Amino acid sequence: MADNKEVQAQVAEAAKASGKKTRTVSYGAATALGGAAMSWSMMNQMNSSMWAYFMTDVALVATAAMATILLVAKILEWVGALIAGVIMEKTILKWGKYGSWCIVCPPGVAICFVLMFTNPFGAIPVLQGIWFGLWYSVMMFFVAFITATQTTMVTLLGSKSREDRAFCATKRAQGSQLGQFLFGLIGMPLLLLLNGGTKDNAFGYPILAILFGVICIVMYRVLYHNIPKGLDTVYETKEERQAAAKSISSNRVGTLEMFKLLFKTPPMLGIILSDTTRLLAQFTLLGTALYIFTYVYGDSSMFAPMMSALGITALLTTFLVEVLIKFIKNRTLYVMGLAIFAIFLVCAYFAPTPLLFAIFIACSYIGIGFANSQGTAMVGDASIYCEWKHKKEVKAFMGAMGALPPKFANIISGAVLGFGLVAIGFVAHTEMSAATLNSLKMIGTVIPAIFLVIGIICFLLLNRLTPDKLKVLNDEVNARREAERAAKAAEAEQSK
């Protein structure tokens, strides 16, 4: 009780000083994080939009074999996501506890990525299955680390304050959206240029993969060199790494304890649940949009322009957020984003024409941009809370857990769409009743809006970290870290 009263008093004091600017992270470091996110986004876009086509139409892999490869890889992706953070927390590499992964992961992803787009065994089905399955599975394992590294870097670079984390998260979101936009502009034209105007030539795919892989390696190197000195401990000698390993062993946070810490950190559970509902709403909307244009409105011509508008809206919103976070607290901006998304989805349900439907959905992406840009900042805030509350630093583990919502949402949205279509009696290429078409529209708009309301409630109930309280907790954590560094320095001096 005494501790709570002390924190409350400090929160009140922090509220008086809340008008002061507290962002300390450099623009260069945050922009380097955005560059890394951009490079990974371009690779990811090539993977999601070209690899399945490469297998079936270029390498001539049987469709059933391709589906099996994707299923196995998805399972391994889940395994990787669950253990990536644990491995990152327990591994000592010479480039630093967290920064090392900026050096190690991108080359691993890039090598697997290039090999995925080669076909050395021609049309031999068994060998093709082993080759593509092996490299795609290994790549998805590396992907778990590279996505956890991005989230962890938001927490690391923004470790000094909430404002730092909000700024880094915004730059990461800008880079991610910019990568998607740039790939949309140059990906297919470059492939056609390399292949002499056709998509069905194998020659251009590995060259394009090499190009994006090199960009990713370089951008993550730039990020590594922009980590401020002192934020991440670098172990330059074997003796230093052995001493660090011994220290970690004596103060070990076990694997089971890490998962217990997750469930003892309500703000982290709040962001996982709310981000899952946000992505669930987004995936369900995108999965039903073409159905709605085709069957409800009888006009699918607006689908492609709408998808382009969504990408542009999301990109422009991330730059708007960079301005807004100077005036609006990032927690508020996150909740506003979920609410805006839900409101425009409901508006889209009542849209009488395909044009209005497309406009409302494009406007809903303003909300997605708000929430997406601050989600990783919320993960960082939860990590700071965990360190303050439990005196355990598990940035990488929390970062890895923060990357789980897309995986949860992907599974649930598939079930919602599949079972939803069955439940309303949807039959393709037939005349359906007005009630069925209305239900189809509800699956793509009203039901996702309900998911978002649930997400807002979960977030507000579990995440009580106001900006003023976060400032107090962050200052205490920073003071504790400085004391630990001073003690280690004194111990090292005495041992000389």
Side-chain angles (χ1 to χ4, degrees), residues 270 273-274 277 453-463:
L273 290 172
S274 61
T277 60
V453 172
I454 293 171
I456 292 171
I457 293 170
C458 289
F459 181 79
L460 293 176
L461 287 177
L462 293 169
N463 190 324

Side-chain angles (χ1 to χ4, degrees), residues 2 34 49 62 172 195 216 231-232 251 289 315 336 369 493:
S49 63
R172 187 207 66 83
N195 273 348
C216 187
L231 277 188
D232 193 19
N251 300 283
L315 175 61
M336 281 176 55
E493 191 66 31

Side-chain angles (χ1 to χ4, degrees), residues 139-289:
M139 190 200 75
M140 294 311 293
F141 190 73
F142 275 109
V143 165
F145 286 86
I146 209 167
T147 52
T149 298
Q150 270 192 39
T151 308
T152 303
M153 285 296 117
V154 171
T155 308
L156 181 68
L157 295 175
S159 59
K160 295 291 180 67
S161 71
R162 175 191 65 82
E163 289 81 0
D164 285 350
R165 290 187 292 278
F167 185 59
C168 289
T170 302
K171 284 297 182 184
R172 187 207 66 83
Q174 283 179 4
S176 182
Q177 291 296 333
L178 185 59
Q180 292 181 37
F181 180 74
L182 288 175
F183 181 82
L185 282 180
I186 67 173
M188 187 56 69
L190 277 176
L191 179 66
L192 295 176
L193 178 66
L194 291 167
N195 273 348
T198 177
K199 294 182 293 183
D200 298 333
N201 189 337
F203 175 77
Y205 288 92
I207 295 176
L208 200 59
I210 290 170
L211 172 63
F212 289 127
V214 170
I215 292 172
C216 187
I217 292 169
V218 170
M219 295 310 294
Y220 269 85
R221 276 274 183 173
V222 171
L223 172 58
Y224 172 76
H225 289 295
N226 273 275
I227 298 174
K229 190 175 181 180
L231 277 188
D232 193 19
T233 307
V234 177
Y235 310 103
E236 295 180 348
T237 66
K238 183 178 179 181
E239 290 73 20
E240 288 177 339
R241 290 193 292 278
Q242 288 174 341
K246 186 177 180 181
S247 174
I248 287 178
S249 180
S250 60
N251 300 283
R252 182 176 295 278
V253 180
T255 302
L256 182 60
E257 187 178 359
M258 288 185 198
F259 283 97
K260 285 181 179 178
L261 287 173
L262 171 65
F263 288 100
K264 290 179 181 178
T265 307
M268 191 66 210
L269 297 177
I271 188 60
I272 289 175
L273 290 172
S274 61
D275 246 12
T276 298
T277 60
R278 171 178 68 84
L279 291 163
L280 173 57
Q282 186 177 347
F283 295 165
T284 304
L285 164 66
L286 294 177
T288 54

Side-chain angles (χ1 to χ4, degrees), residues 52-66:
Y53 182 87
F54 174 81
M55 280 202 297
T56 57
D57 288 59
V58 180
L60 303 179
V61 175
T63 305
M66 182 198 71

Side-chain angles (χ1 to χ4, degrees), residues 16-60:
K16 295 177 183 178
S18 59
K20 298 179 181 178
K21 181 180 178 182
T22 55
R23 181 168 70 80
T24 59
V25 66
S26 73
Y27 194 87
T31 303
L33 175 58
M38 178 195 72
S39 66
W40 162 240
S41 182
M42 288 193 291
M43 285 184 69
N44 196 34
Q45 287 295 301
M46 183 177 176
N47 172 41
S48 60
S49 63
M50 292 184 175
W51 190 60
Y53 182 87
F54 174 81
M55 280 202 297
T56 57
D57 288 59
V58 180
L60 303 179

